[in-house]
Amino acid sequence: VPPQRKKEKTAAMFSQSNTLVKYDNPSLISRSTDKKLRAKGTKDVKLSSTLGGTLAGTLATGPVPPKPTKLPPVDASKQKETEEILNSIIPPREFTDNGQLWIQQVSSTPATRMDVVNLQDALDQKLQQRQARETGICPVRRELYSQCFDELIRQVTLGCAERGLLLLRVRNEIRMTLAAYQTLYESSVAFGMRKALQAEQGKEETEKKIQELEDAKKELQAQVSALKAKCEETEKREAERRQADERKHAEELQFLKRTNQQLKTQLESILAPSKK
């Protein structure tokens, strides 16, 4: 493949990127690190030879008055300033392909109404292609809307640089707020996980304590049952003994009554003849 066609193919491939921000065609910065170093050495040699020749010519012919420089027009200066603002808002992208370093700057072409319509269609298409969720937290949807907002900032900056810088402040504030919410969410998740682990550990200890208390309860219930049985046996034995004592007492009482009656009868029989 010829180098020129290969360069055009690479530029076309990287110009059709997945981002919604409009970029210019990538430019080749260097072919490789070794070639870059060799080119730098060659440039230094050429610069030394050029400076040597210029110095020799100056010494021979005398000082040469500088050529008058022409100031750039006001529109070109303003356009350059706008491009610098664009590069500060959306930095250029750098990438390597087959050992070659490429750079791609954001486009400085003014946007039209059709560009905005195409941006909206591209946003809807990419949301559908990448299956972004319509509600809730979705990193894909956030990324696409962030790219869309960057493209709107680019379009607005080309019309009014001050308005673009103000939108940049709004974008940075939104990103800072989202980062704070994300940090808060991550810390809350970590806190929840830590509390869940602590609760799990406390649950094990509580379950162990409950098991020990249940074992102690069973032992106490066994002791209560044994004491109840012993108490019932003692009550039964005491009742039997009491009944035996009552029966014995009743028999003794009957015996004493009979003895008393017999003695009374004998006494009356002894006293009766004496009275006669």
Side-chain angles (χ1 to χ4, degrees), residues 81-133:
E81 181 181 358
T82 304
E83 292 179 356
E84 291 178 355
I85 294 176
L86 277 178
N87 291 331
S88 64
I89 295 176
I90 307 175
R93 300 188 303 177
E94 294 183 359
F95 52 88
T96 56
D97 180 44
N98 296 326
Q100 297 178 348
L101 179 62
W102 297 78
I103 188 171
Q104 191 175 20
Q105 294 182 350
V106 67
S107 177
S108 59
T109 304
T112 60
R113 181 178 180 277
M114 187 56 63
D115 292 334
V116 179
V117 175
N118 293 334
L119 177 62
Q120 183 178 359
D121 294 340
L123 175 62
D124 295 336
Q125 184 179 2
K126 287 185 178 296
L127 287 173
Q128 185 177 3
Q129 288 177 354
R130 300 183 62 178
Q131 298 179 356
R133 292 194 295 266

Side-chain angles (χ1 to χ4, degrees), residues 154-168:
R154 184 195 72 84
Q155 296 177 5
V156 171
T157 305
L158 291 175
C160 179
E162 290 76 10
R163 191 180 294 119
L165 292 175
L166 185 58
L167 287 177
L168 174 64

Side-chain angles (χ1 to χ4, degrees), residues 221-261:
Q221 287 178 348
Q223 293 179 6
V224 169
S225 299
L227 291 175
K228 282 184 178 180
K230 188 176 180 179
C231 182
E232 290 176 357
E233 184 180 357
T234 303
E235 288 179 353
K236 183 178 180 181
R237 187 170 59 250
E238 289 296 326
E240 292 177 354
R241 186 177 62 80
R242 186 171 59 252
Q243 289 178 0
D245 292 342
E246 288 178 355
R247 187 167 55 249
K248 184 178 179 180
H249 178 69
E251 291 177 355
E252 289 179 354
L253 182 62
Q254 292 295 331
F255 176 75
L256 292 174
K257 283 182 178 181
R258 286 195 303 268
T259 303
N260 186 23
Q261 187 66 29

Side-chain angles (χ1 to χ4, degrees), residues 39-49:
K40 185 178 179 181
T42 307
K43 184 177 179 181
D44 293 340
V45 172
K46 291 182 178 179
L47 181 60
S48 300
S49 60

